Amino acid sequence: RTLEHFKNHISDQGTERLSQVDTIEFNHVYFAYPGTSTPVLTDINLFLKKERVALVGLNGSGKSTFIKLLLRMYDPDEGTILINGRDIREYSLVELRSNFSVYFQSMKNYCFTLKENFTIADDDQAEENVDKRILTALDLAQCEDILQKTRLRGRGLNTSITRLFDHEGIELSGGQYQKLSIARTFFRRHTALILDEPSSNLDPIAEDQIFQSLRCITKGKLTIFTTHRFSNVSLADRIIVFEKGKIVEDGSQRQLLAKKNRYYEMFNIQKEKYNSDEKS
Ligand code: ADP
């Protein structure tokens, strides 16, 4: 189900309304996962406004954990997280989470129809232009190939995904599943977007096109995304570099490259790797 149903051991006492996300602030945030003593985030301080922010860093450096704390899947051990200047614990979980449309790598699609994959978690099903909104989201997420398959079946958005329960259904590839999940993220009503590795299974062309779509969709919205591919980082107005649970650099791509520090090193290692891959 949707994020709103993920309660964990978080107390949901807040009563404040949240109609949109304008700013996010982390103040001296420390965190270790329950039952462990290894700090995963250490003294995180950050102020984000309506901008596109890329979180970069090696695997295990704390990027996903940062996102989990922001969505209150866990609470920090120390420090505070504020949205629009208010501690996020003052908002109800539903208010907080309903502002974000989130793409996680582990997101599942359902063995229902294409349309139900969009409407199942939302209360918008009865809305009259819902088909149009779904088609727009599919278009932005470069799902033309999926639509093509459904047209061959003659059932359009009512085509089942997987043939598990419907022999007229269609099977999708890993990359197509990922694009469908991204389309669902675009479809969901939101005031801020979070995307955790949105292009890991995509071919370079689809990846490039999705990042073009993201450029439009994220205009004027607070957007946080993680990516391993430095070519995608150019979407970001601002880059935050995580290392072992700490923020070690923060700035625009141009600023960080000029600094010739951690970001610059990672950027060059990747560039060399791609060059040698191309040659081999
Ligand atoms: P990144 O997103 O940068 O790859 P993560 O935030 O996923 O990093 O992970 C940071 C650290 O937290 C890693 O050492 C990881 O093993 C650990 N970790 C992640 N999830 C859990 C969990 N549910 N329980 C315990 N440790 C976790």
Side-chain angles (χ1 to χ4, degrees):
R1 298 298 311 260
T2 57
L3 268 177
E4 282 98 277
H5 300 272
F6 187 99
K7 285 232 166 85
N8 204 286
H9 26 252
I10 295 291
S11 90
D12 187 11
Q13 308 281 326
T15 52
E16 290 295 327
R17 306 292 308 268
L18 181 63
S19 57
Q20 63 170 34
V21 176
D22 296 316
T23 62
I24 294 172
E25 199 174 341
F26 277 58
N27 281 323
H28 301 292
V29 169
Y30 290 78
F31 179 71
Y33 279 94
T36 71
S37 54
T38 321
V40 170
L41 293 176
T42 309
D43 199 15
I44 300 294
N45 293 288
L46 203 57
F47 184 86
L48 308 177
K49 52 190 199 308
K50 287 184 180 167
E51 55 195 339
R52 301 178 183 111
V53 183
L55 309 182
V56 306
L58 301 181
N59 275 339
S61 56
K63 307 178 297 288
S64 307
T65 306
F66 174 90
I67 292 170
K68 288 182 202 164
L69 294 190
L70 176 59
L71 297 169
R72 282 202 77 207
M73 289 160 149
Y74 300 92
D75 280 333
D77 297 323
E78 278 179 52
T80 50
I81 303 171
L82 313 180
I83 291 185
N84 302 353
R86 203 181 267 283
D87 192 315
I88 56 174
R89 287 171 292 199
E90 293 179 32
Y91 303 110
S92 72
L93 283 179
V94 171
E95 279 290 314
L96 172 73
R97 292 174 183 170
S98 62
N99 272 275
F100 290 94
S101 190
V102 185
Y103 172 83
F104 272 126
Q105 277 183 78
S106 55
M107 231 157 100
K108 296 275 181 291
N109 290 290
Y110 307 95
C111 305
F112 300 128
T113 68
L114 186 54
K115 180 169 175 174
E116 284 163 340
N117 265 280
F118 288 84
T119 54
I120 196 153
D122 276 287
D123 300 326
D124 299 346
Q125 308 185 38
E127 197 191 316
E128 43 187 64
N129 65 354
V130 69
D131 284 11
K132 192 157 168 262
R133 282 183 52 222
I134 293 172
L135 288 170
T136 305
L138 285 165
D139 183 44
L140 286 165
Q142 307 300 323
C143 296
E144 181 51 36
D145 50 347
I146 301 177
L147 285 172
Q148 198 86 41
K149 279 185 155 195
T150 66
R151 278 189 214 112
L152 291 176
R153 292 279 188 280
R155 285 164 62 186
L157 293 178
N158 295 317
T159 310
S160 298
I161 302 301
T162 86
R163 306 187 58 202
L164 200 59
F165 304 117
D166 180 354
H167 67 277
E168 298 264 293
I170 53 171
E171 296 290 341
L172 303 180
S173 71
Q176 286 172 330
Y177 272 120
Q178 185 167 20
K179 290 195 292 184
L180 182 55
S181 299
I182 294 171
R184 284 169 43 203
T185 309
F186 290 171
F187 170 82
R188 229 184 139 226
R189 294 193 189 284
H190 60 270
T191 71
L193 262 175
I194 295 180
L195 300 126
D196 195 8
E197 287 287 341
S199 59
S200 52
N201 288 322
L202 301 181
D203 62 70
I205 295 174
E207 178 176 31
D208 207 51
Q209 288 169 334
I210 284 181
F211 272 85
Q212 296 291 345
S213 297
L214 271 173
R215 203 172 280 282
C216 304
I217 289 171
T218 56
K219 213 169 250 167
K221 270 184 201 154
L222 209 163
T223 304
I224 300 172
F225 68 99
T226 68
T227 178
H228 276 103
R229 308 249 182 105
F230 281 59
S231 51
N232 297 329
V233 172
S234 59
L235 174 71
D237 306 306
R238 182 170 170 193
I239 298 161
I240 316 275
V241 184
F242 280 76
E243 195 170 88
K244 295 181 185 151
K246 294 192 176 126
I247 293 174
V248 293
E249 281 185 74
D250 177 351
S252 68
Q253 168 137 291
R254 185 193 293 241
Q255 286 167 337
L256 297 193
L257 287 178
K259 263 173 116 183
K260 301 206 168 172
N261 206 326
R262 282 307 284 137
Y263 182 80
Y264 175 84
E265 281 167 23
M266 288 193 285
F267 186 89
N268 280 313
I269 289 170
Q270 193 165 93
K271 211 162 77 181
E272 278 165 27
K273 186 182 172 306
Y274 272 115
N275 287 342
S276 63
D277 283 352
E278 265 167 31
K279 278 182 208 132
S280 61

